[in-house]
Amino acid sequence: MRWLTLTTFLPLLGVVVLLPWRRVGDDAARGMALAVSVATFLASLGMAGRFDGSVSRFQLVEQATWVRSPNIRYVLGVDGISLFLVLLTTFLVPIAILASWKVDRHVRLYMAAMLFLETGMIGTFLALDLLLFFLFFEAILFPMYLIIGAWGGERRVYAAVKFFLYTMFGSAFLLVAILFLYARSGSLPDGPTFDLRQLVDLGLTAGAGRWLFLGFFIAFAVKVPLFPLHTWLPDAHTEAPTAGSVILAAILLKVGAYGLIRFNLSLFPEASSYFADGVSVVALIGIVYGAIVAMMQTDVKRLVAYSSVSHLGFVVLGTFAFTLQGMTGGVLQMVNHGLSTGALFLLVGMVYERTHTRDLSQMGGLGAPMPWLMGAFLFVSLSSLGLPGLNNFVGEFLVILGTFAANRAFGAIAAAGVVLAAIYLLWAYQRMAHGPVPARHAEHPDLSVREYALLAPVLAAILALGIYPNLLLDRINPTATRIVDGVSVAQAVQAARASGQAAGEEGS
């Protein structure tokens, strides 16, 4: 069975059924979307069951000629980096659909947009042909634009347009870089080609590799987002509906970090080494800046949005430390951040449904009428700040450890980011849950059965990965080792060339 194709396009089958079926009722549309997303999760488990975690190469590869001229191929493959991002996607989309159960406007179109978005995200993590990747990369833009712009808050159009323009700006650089690689790949045995597996052997000059690195980097830096390209994110999160914020924070932001690992480090190892210090500095600025700005927020949704800027900085920092601990910690942290921040946005949405405010100054004492909801908020906050025994601790620890091995100053600054996270998250919880209960909030209900069903699997995953992170690390390590070794070889070649040039100058 073609597990990758099935997992990728099963949600699209749901779209094909939902869009023309105009007379379908709202409940039927919700039920169909939920059933398709659950089936997609089961298909991804079938893919994971056939994955061999002891090898580093791409597995379960499915390929076919799509367009003969130019040589565009349909190529899907999975390795230890992409495996868990696909599983994270298929795990959270059913939860996001269940969280959207109260959406009452254009339900059929909303559910179709969610399923189309799922196909785009999965395809982005599995595509090995660069042009196919670009098509999936762009495909995720339109449904998210619609989800924010049609079902978002008061300033939804502004936020959606800003999200669209920033992403299209980055995509322009990416497309130009991909086309340049294709033009230069004629020297390869099967060239010209867009196939990533062949392009890694292209043998670019240092100058060309560095310019191409920047083309890819800008596109992915917008998606992460890295400072100073992050300004679209707080607006998008604030205006997006709850499920849109969950998908945006938990999965879409990981497309940028994944792209840096998959393409920048694999295709341009010499350029990655050359720009490593600069990228690490930008990541550190994001870690500290995001945490400080989060502390200044009174809107709890914007607070969580800025926390994503800070936490994704850890992923990029670990990636560009070029150590095995940093790389594996960064990949693990992508999954951890998706679970923790996705859960935070779910909880913020539940609080807003009851209080009709996100302003922390208008809350207080919510732990009395809603003890289980506030207990879940504290549990996820402790996870997000890296409490030992919960999922984020191991990822952040590995990133800091790997960064210390490469640069002690960078590691120390990153460690300060963990302290800042504890401040803004616990302070937000204190202002929400403790103190006198305002009269208008005294009678709010606690978690419903549907909300328990939403939160239980996410909280269980947070606890399970905190106790047994090797479930992921054992399968991430082989691929991470391959990528780190590739950069190390490039660094050695670069050092040998520099030494040879220095010797030549002395001889002359």
Side-chain angles (χ1 to χ4, degrees):
M1 182 177 290
R2 294 180 173 268
W3 288 101
L4 303 190
T5 297
L6 178 65
T7 303
T8 302
F9 292 104
L10 189 56
L12 191 60
L13 180 62
V15 177
V16 171
V17 174
L18 276 175
L19 280 183
W21 193 7
R22 296 180 180 274
R23 295 185 180 180
V24 65
D26 289 349
D27 288 339
R30 297 183 185 103
M32 176 177 292
L34 181 61
V36 170
S37 63
V38 170
T40 305
F41 176 60
L42 296 176
S44 70
L45 292 180
M47 173 197 71
R50 285 152 181 80
F51 182 83
D52 184 353
S54 65
V55 298
S56 65
R57 66 179 181 274
F58 291 107
Q59 301 179 46
L60 307 177
V61 174
E62 300 170 10
Q63 53 189 334
T65 299
W66 184 14
V67 180
R68 291 192 179 278
S69 182
N71 183 20
I72 306 174
R73 294 178 59 79
Y74 172 82
V75 188
L76 301 181
V78 63
D79 65 0
I81 304 296
S82 57
L83 172 66
F84 294 107
L85 295 175
V86 173
L87 290 174
L88 177 68
T89 303
T90 60
F91 175 70
L92 287 178
V93 168
I95 292 172
I97 290 174
L98 196 57
S100 306
W101 217 253
K102 292 186 178 181
V103 170
D104 56 4
R105 292 186 297 109
H106 307 295
V107 175
R108 176 176 60 89
L109 298 178
Y110 179 90
M111 294 300 168
M114 289 291 290
L115 292 176
F116 188 86
L117 181 60
E118 183 174 19
T119 283
M121 293 183 296
I122 296 171
T124 301
F125 294 132
L126 295 179
L128 299 183
D129 180 279
L130 264 64
L131 196 59
L132 181 64
F133 167 83
F134 182 79
L135 293 176
F136 281 123
F137 186 78
E138 290 300 286
I140 63 179
L141 171 62
F142 297 101
M144 181 53 71
Y145 170 82
L146 292 174
I147 289 170
I148 298 172
W151 291 277
E154 293 182 0
R155 301 177 71 239
R156 58 185 179 273
V157 175
Y158 166 77
V161 170
K162 191 174 183 180
F163 163 74
F164 187 90
L165 291 178
Y166 267 76
T167 304
M168 288 298 292
F169 165 77
S171 297
F173 290 93
L174 178 61
L175 180 59
V176 170
I178 288 174
L179 293 177
F180 184 89
L181 278 173
Y182 175 80
R184 292 289 298 272
S185 65
S187 59
L188 295 173
D190 296 328
T193 182
F194 292 102
D195 194 324
L196 171 66
R197 299 168 298 172
Q198 298 181 45
L199 290 173
V200 294
D201 299 321
L202 189 54
L204 296 166
T205 63
R210 291 170 187 177
W211 281 110
L212 291 169
F213 173 94
L214 291 175
F216 278 77
F217 178 79
I218 291 172
F220 298 139
V222 170
K223 269 287 199 293
V224 169
L226 284 174
F227 177 92
L229 301 173
H230 68 285
T231 57
W232 63 268
L233 181 66
D235 293 318
H237 270 313
T238 302
E239 301 305 325
T242 296
S245 292
V246 171
I247 296 298
L248 184 61
I251 305 169
L252 256 67
L253 303 188
K254 310 307 179 299
V255 171
Y258 168 80
L260 291 174
I261 298 172
R262 172 66 70 237
F263 299 105
N264 284 75
L265 268 62
S266 298
L267 291 171
F268 319 114
E270 186 277 337
S272 298
S273 175
Y274 180 81
F275 289 110
D277 286 345
V279 175
S280 297
V281 168
V282 170
L284 287 168
I285 292 172
I287 290 172
V288 177
Y289 166 84
I292 292 174
V293 176
M295 283 191 286
M296 300 168 63
Q297 301 303 309
T298 57
D299 185 322
V300 67
K301 206 172 185 184
R302 290 184 74 88
L303 183 151
V304 179
Y306 277 107
S307 78
S308 290
V309 176
S310 182
H311 283 106
L312 267 296
F314 280 96
V315 175
V316 177
L317 183 66
T319 298
F320 281 84
F322 304 139
T323 60
L324 182 59
Q325 296 97 329
M327 179 67 70
T328 55
V331 176
L332 179 62
Q333 195 60 13
M334 282 195 274
V335 179
N336 290 337
H337 175 268
L339 294 171
S340 298
T341 304
L344 280 175
F345 277 115
L346 285 174
L347 290 161
V348 169
M350 293 172 188
V351 171
Y352 181 77
E353 285 180 4
R354 291 161 169 80
T355 64
H356 303 291
T357 182
R358 295 191 300 265
D359 191 340
L360 289 168
S361 65
Q362 298 183 29
M363 298 183 190
L366 297 182
M370 300 180 286
W372 286 101
L373 196 159
M374 286 294 102
F377 193 95
L378 177 60
F379 180 86
V380 178
S381 296
L382 293 174
S383 161
S384 189
L385 63 84
L387 181 74
L390 299 178
N391 60 336
N392 276 269
F393 171 73
V394 176
E396 289 184 351
F397 177 77
L398 287 173
V399 168
I400 294 172
L401 185 65
T403 304
F404 260 114
N407 187 308
R408 293 186 178 182
F410 289 175
I413 296 171
V418 178
V419 177
L420 294 174
I423 294 173
Y424 65 73
L425 285 167
L426 293 178
W427 191 17
Y429 173 76
Q430 180 188 27
R431 286 182 285 178
M432 291 175 67
H434 295 296
V437 185
R440 62 185 179 277
H441 298 325
E443 302 298 326
H444 292 313
D446 208 348
L447 292 174
S448 66
V449 174
R450 179 180 63 88
E451 290 167 336
Y452 276 116
L454 277 172
L455 292 172
V458 183
L459 301 187
I462 287 172
L463 183 61
L465 292 182
I467 295 172
Y468 189 57
N470 278 346
L471 182 66
L472 274 65
L473 291 175
D474 289 344
R475 292 159 179 80
I476 295 171
N477 276 333
T479 305
T481 300
R482 170 173 57 83
I483 295 172
V484 170
D485 288 346
V487 177
S488 298
V489 170
Q491 289 175 326
V493 171
Q494 183 181 0
R497 288 176 179 171
S499 177
Q501 290 175 356
E505 291 173 359
E506 291 178 3
S508 61

